[in-house]
Coordinates of all heavy atoms in Angstrom, one line a residue:
A9 N 0.9 -1.2 0.0 CA 0.0 0.0 0.0 C 0.9 1.2 0.0 O 1.8 1.3 0.8 CB -0.9 0.0 1.2
V10 N 0.6 2.2 -0.9 CA 1.4 3.4 -1.0 C 0.6 4.6 -0.7 O -0.6 4.6 -0.8 CB 2.1 3.5 -2.4 CG1 2.9 2.3 -2.7 CG2 1.0 3.7 -3.5
D11 N 1.3 5.7 -0.3 CA 0.7 6.9 0.0 C 0.4 7.8 -1.2 O -0.5 8.6 -1.3 CB 1.5 7.7 1.1 CG 1.7 6.9 2.3 OD1 0.8 6.9 3.2 OD2 2.7 6.2 2.4
L12 N 1.3 7.7 -2.2 CA 1.2 8.5 -3.4 C 1.4 7.6 -4.6 O 2.6 7.3 -5.0 CB 2.2 9.7 -3.4 CG 2.1 10.6 -4.7 CD1 0.8 11.2 -4.9 CD2 3.2 11.6 -4.6
P13 N 0.4 7.2 -5.3 CA 0.5 6.4 -6.5 C 0.7 7.4 -7.7 O 0.0 8.4 -7.8 CB -0.8 5.7 -6.7 CG -1.8 6.6 -6.0 CD -1.1 7.3 -4.9
V14 N 1.7 7.1 -8.6 CA 2.0 7.9 -9.7 C 2.1 7.0 -10.9 O 3.1 6.3 -11.1 CB 3.3 8.8 -9.6 CG1 3.5 9.7 -10.8 CG2 3.3 9.6 -8.3
V15 N 1.1 7.1 -11.8 CA 1.1 6.3 -13.0 C 1.9 7.1 -14.1 O 1.3 8.0 -14.7 CB -0.3 5.9 -13.5 CG1 -0.2 5.1 -14.8 CG2 -1.0 5.2 -12.4
S16 N 3.1 6.7 -14.3 CA 3.9 7.4 -15.3 C 5.1 6.6 -15.7 O 5.6 5.7 -15.0 CB 4.4 8.7 -14.6 OG 5.4 9.4 -15.4
D17 N 5.6 6.9 -16.9 CA 6.9 6.4 -17.3 C 8.0 7.0 -16.4 O 7.9 8.2 -16.0 CB 7.2 6.9 -18.7 CG 8.6 6.6 -19.2 OD1 8.9 5.4 -19.5 OD2 9.4 7.5 -19.2
A18 N 9.0 6.2 -16.0 CA 10.0 6.6 -15.0 C 10.7 7.8 -15.5 O 10.9 8.8 -14.7 CB 10.9 5.5 -14.7
K19 N 11.1 7.9 -16.7 CA 11.9 9.0 -17.2 C 11.1 10.3 -17.2 O 11.5 11.4 -16.9 CB 12.5 8.7 -18.6 CG 13.4 9.7 -19.1 CD 14.1 9.3 -20.4 CE 15.2 10.3 -20.8 NZ 15.9 9.8 -22.0
E20 N 9.8 10.1 -17.7 CA 8.9 11.3 -17.7 C 8.7 11.9 -16.3 O 8.8 13.1 -16.1 CB 7.6 10.9 -18.3 CG 6.6 12.0 -18.4 CD 5.2 11.6 -18.9 OE1 5.0 10.3 -19.0 OE2 4.4 12.4 -19.2
F21 N 8.6 11.0 -15.3 CA 8.4 11.5 -13.9 C 9.7 12.2 -13.5 O 9.6 13.4 -12.9 CB 8.1 10.3 -13.0 CG 8.1 10.7 -11.5 CD1 7.0 11.3 -11.0 CD2 9.3 10.5 -10.7 CE1 7.0 11.7 -9.6 CE2 9.3 10.9 -9.4 CZ 8.2 11.4 -8.8
I22 N 10.8 11.6 -13.7 CA 12.1 12.3 -13.2 C 12.4 13.6 -14.0 O 12.8 14.6 -13.3 CB 13.3 11.3 -13.4 CG1 13.1 10.1 -12.5 CG2 14.6 12.0 -13.2 CD1 14.1 9.0 -12.7
L23 N 12.1 13.6 -15.3 CA 12.3 14.9 -16.0 C 11.4 16.0 -15.5 O 11.8 17.1 -15.5 CB 12.1 14.6 -17.5 CG 13.2 13.8 -18.3 CD1 12.7 13.5 -19.7 CD2 14.5 14.6 -18.3
N24 N 10.2 15.6 -15.1 CA 9.2 16.6 -14.7 C 9.5 17.1 -13.3 O 9.3 18.3 -13.0 CB 7.8 16.0 -14.7 CG 7.1 16.2 -16.0 OD1 6.5 17.2 -16.3 ND2 7.1 15.1 -16.8
I25 N 10.1 16.3 -12.4 CA 10.3 16.7 -11.0 C 11.7 17.3 -10.8 O 11.9 18.1 -9.8 CB 10.0 15.6 -10.1 CG1 9.8 16.1 -8.7 CG2 11.2 14.5 -10.0 CD1 9.2 15.0 -7.7
K26 N 12.7 16.9 -11.6 CA 14.1 17.2 -11.2 C 14.4 18.7 -11.1 O 15.2 19.1 -10.3 CB 15.1 16.5 -12.2 CG 15.2 17.1 -13.5 CD 16.3 16.5 -14.3 CE 16.6 17.2 -15.6 NZ 17.8 16.7 -16.3
N27 N 13.8 19.5 -11.9 CA 14.0 21.0 -11.9 C 13.1 21.7 -11.0 O 13.2 23.0 -10.9 CB 14.0 21.6 -13.3 CG 15.1 21.1 -14.2 OD1 16.2 20.9 -13.7 ND2 14.8 20.8 -15.5
K28 N 12.2 21.0 -10.3 CA 11.3 21.7 -9.4 C 11.7 21.5 -7.9 O 11.2 22.2 -7.0 CB 9.9 21.1 -9.6 CG 9.3 21.4 -11.0 CD 7.9 20.8 -11.1 CE 7.4 21.1 -12.5 NZ 6.0 20.5 -12.7
L29 N 12.6 20.6 -7.7 CA 13.0 20.3 -6.3 C 14.0 21.4 -5.7 O 14.8 21.9 -6.5 CB 13.7 19.0 -6.2 CG 12.9 17.7 -6.5 CD1 13.8 16.5 -6.6 CD2 11.8 17.5 -5.4
D30 N 13.8 21.7 -4.5 CA 14.7 22.6 -3.8 C 15.8 21.8 -3.2 O 15.7 21.2 -2.0 CB 13.9 23.3 -2.7 CG 14.8 24.4 -2.0 OD1 16.0 24.3 -2.0 OD2 14.2 25.3 -1.4
Y31 N 16.9 21.6 -3.9 CA 18.0 20.7 -3.5 C 18.7 21.2 -2.2 O 19.2 20.3 -1.4 CB 19.0 20.5 -4.6 CG 18.4 19.8 -5.8 CD1 17.9 20.5 -6.9 CD2 18.2 18.4 -5.8 CE1 17.3 19.8 -8.0 CE2 17.7 17.7 -6.8 CZ 17.2 18.4 -7.9 OH 16.6 17.7 -9.0
Q32 N 18.8 22.4 -2.0 CA 19.5 22.9 -0.8 C 18.6 22.6 0.4 O 19.2 22.1 1.5 CB 19.6 24.5 -0.9 CG 20.6 24.9 -1.9 CD 22.0 24.3 -1.8 OE1 22.5 24.2 -0.6 NE2 22.5 23.8 -2.9
Q33 N 17.3 22.7 0.4 CA 16.5 22.3 1.5 C 16.6 20.8 1.8 O 16.7 20.3 2.9 CB 15.0 22.7 1.2 CG 14.1 22.3 2.4 CD 12.6 22.6 2.1 OE1 12.4 23.6 1.4 NE2 11.7 22.0 2.8
I34 N 16.6 20.0 0.7 CA 16.7 18.5 0.8 C 18.0 18.2 1.6 O 18.0 17.4 2.5 CB 16.6 17.8 -0.5 CG1 15.2 18.0 -1.2 CG2 16.9 16.4 -0.4 CD1 15.1 17.6 -2.6
K35 N 19.1 18.8 1.1 CA 20.4 18.4 1.7 C 20.5 18.9 3.2 O 21.1 18.2 4.0 CB 21.5 19.1 0.9 CG 21.7 18.4 -0.4 CD 23.0 18.8 -1.2 CE 22.8 20.1 -1.8 NZ 24.0 20.5 -2.7
R36 N 19.9 20.0 3.5 CA 19.9 20.5 4.9 C 19.1 19.5 5.8 O 19.5 19.1 6.9 CB 19.2 21.9 5.0 CG 20.1 23.0 4.6 CD 19.6 24.3 5.1 NE 18.2 24.6 4.6 CZ 17.9 25.2 3.4 NH1 18.9 25.6 2.6 NH2 16.7 25.4 3.1
N37 N 18.0 19.0 5.3 CA 17.1 18.1 6.1 C 17.7 16.7 6.2 O 17.4 16.0 7.2 CB 15.7 18.0 5.4 CG 14.9 19.2 5.5 OD1 15.2 20.1 6.4 ND2 13.8 19.3 4.7
T38 N 18.5 16.3 5.3 CA 18.9 14.9 5.2 C 20.4 14.7 5.4 O 20.9 13.5 5.4 CB 18.5 14.3 3.8 OG1 19.3 15.0 2.8 CG2 17.1 14.4 3.6
E39 N 21.2 15.7 5.7 CA 22.6 15.6 5.8 C 23.0 14.5 6.9 O 23.9 13.7 6.6 CB 23.3 16.9 6.2 CG 24.8 16.9 6.3 CD 25.4 18.2 6.6 OE1 24.6 19.2 6.9 OE2 26.6 18.3 6.5
I40 N 22.5 14.6 8.1 CA 22.8 13.6 9.1 C 22.5 12.2 8.7 O 23.3 11.2 8.8 CB 22.1 13.9 10.4 CG1 22.6 15.3 10.9 CG2 22.3 12.8 11.5 CD1 21.8 15.8 12.2
W41 N 21.3 12.0 8.1 CA 20.9 10.7 7.6 C 21.8 10.2 6.5 O 22.2 9.0 6.6 CB 19.4 10.8 7.1 CG 18.8 9.7 6.3 CD1 18.5 9.8 5.0 CD2 18.5 8.4 6.8 NE1 18.0 8.6 4.6 CE2 17.9 7.7 5.7 CE3 18.5 7.8 8.0 CZ2 17.5 6.4 5.7 CZ3 18.1 6.5 8.1 CH2 17.5 5.8 6.9
T42 N 22.1 11.0 5.6 CA 22.9 10.6 4.4 C 24.3 10.1 4.9 O 24.8 9.1 4.5 CB 23.0 11.7 3.4 OG1 21.7 12.0 2.9 CG2 23.9 11.2 2.2
N43 N 24.9 10.9 5.8 CA 26.2 10.6 6.3 C 26.2 9.3 7.1 O 27.1 8.5 7.0 CB 26.7 11.7 7.2 CG 27.0 13.0 6.4 OD1 27.3 12.9 5.2 ND2 27.1 14.1 7.1
E44 N 25.1 9.0 7.8 CA 25.0 7.8 8.5 C 24.9 6.6 7.6 O 25.6 5.6 7.8 CB 23.7 7.8 9.4 CG 23.5 6.6 10.3 CD 22.3 6.7 11.2 OE1 21.5 7.6 11.0 OE2 22.2 5.9 12.1
L45 N 24.1 6.7 6.5 CA 24.0 5.6 5.6 C 25.3 5.3 4.8 O 25.6 4.2 4.5 CB 22.8 5.9 4.6 CG 21.5 5.3 5.0 CD1 21.0 5.8 6.3 CD2 20.4 5.7 3.9
V46 N 26.0 6.4 4.4 CA 27.2 6.2 3.7 C 28.2 5.5 4.6 O 29.0 4.6 4.2 CB 27.8 7.6 3.3 CG1 29.3 7.5 2.8 CG2 27.0 8.2 2.2
E47 N 28.2 5.7 5.9 CA 29.0 5.1 6.9 C 28.6 3.6 7.0 O 29.5 2.7 7.1 CB 29.0 5.7 8.2 CG 30.0 5.2 9.3 CD 31.4 5.5 8.9 OE1 31.7 6.2 8.0 OE2 32.3 4.9 9.6
W48 N 27.3 3.3 7.0 CA 26.9 1.9 7.0 C 27.5 1.1 5.8 O 27.9 0.0 5.9 CB 25.3 1.8 6.9 CG 24.6 2.3 8.2 CD1 25.2 2.5 9.4 CD2 23.2 2.5 8.3 NE1 24.2 2.8 10.3 CE2 23.0 2.9 9.6 CE3 22.2 2.5 7.4 CZ2 21.8 3.2 10.1 CZ3 20.9 2.8 7.9 CH2 20.7 3.1 9.2
K49 N 27.5 1.8 4.6 CA 28.0 1.1 3.5 C 29.5 0.9 3.6 O 30.0 -0.2 3.3 CB 27.7 1.9 2.2 CG 28.3 1.3 0.9 CD 28.0 2.1 -0.3 CE 28.6 1.4 -1.5 NZ 28.4 2.2 -2.8
R50 N 30.2 1.9 4.1 CA 31.7 1.8 4.2 C 32.1 0.8 5.2 O 33.1 0.1 5.0 CB 32.2 3.2 4.6 CG 33.7 3.3 4.5 CD 34.2 4.7 5.0 NE 34.1 4.8 6.4 CZ 34.9 4.2 7.3 NH1 36.0 3.5 6.9 NH2 34.7 4.4 8.6
T51 N 31.3 0.6 6.2 CA 31.7 -0.3 7.3 C 31.0 -1.7 7.2 O 31.0 -2.4 8.2 CB 31.5 0.3 8.7 OG1 30.1 0.6 8.8 CG2 32.4 1.5 8.9
V52 N 30.3 -1.9 6.1 CA 29.5 -3.1 6.0 C 30.4 -4.3 6.2 O 31.5 -4.4 5.6 CB 28.7 -3.2 4.7 CG1 29.7 -3.3 3.5 CG2 27.7 -4.3 4.7
P53 N 30.0 -5.3 7.0 CA 30.8 -6.5 7.1 C 30.9 -7.3 5.8 O 30.0 -7.3 5.0 CB 30.1 -7.3 8.2 CG 28.7 -6.8 8.3 CD 28.8 -5.4 7.8
R54 N 32.0 -8.0 5.6 CA 32.2 -8.8 4.4 C 31.6 -10.2 4.7 O 31.6 -10.7 5.9 CB 33.7 -9.0 4.1 CG 34.4 -7.7 4.0 CD 34.0 -6.9 2.8 NE 34.2 -7.5 1.5 CZ 34.2 -6.8 0.4 NH1 34.0 -5.5 0.4 NH2 34.3 -7.4 -0.8

């Protein structure tokens, strides 16, 4: 079950949304989260 269904070709969706996003706001909101995930990948056990 999803909260927002979007019936669209993947490329069409990405082309439509990519120039509308506020990237600075996204990076401010997610910086701690992103750094944490990158560390999970770097330290992932073999």
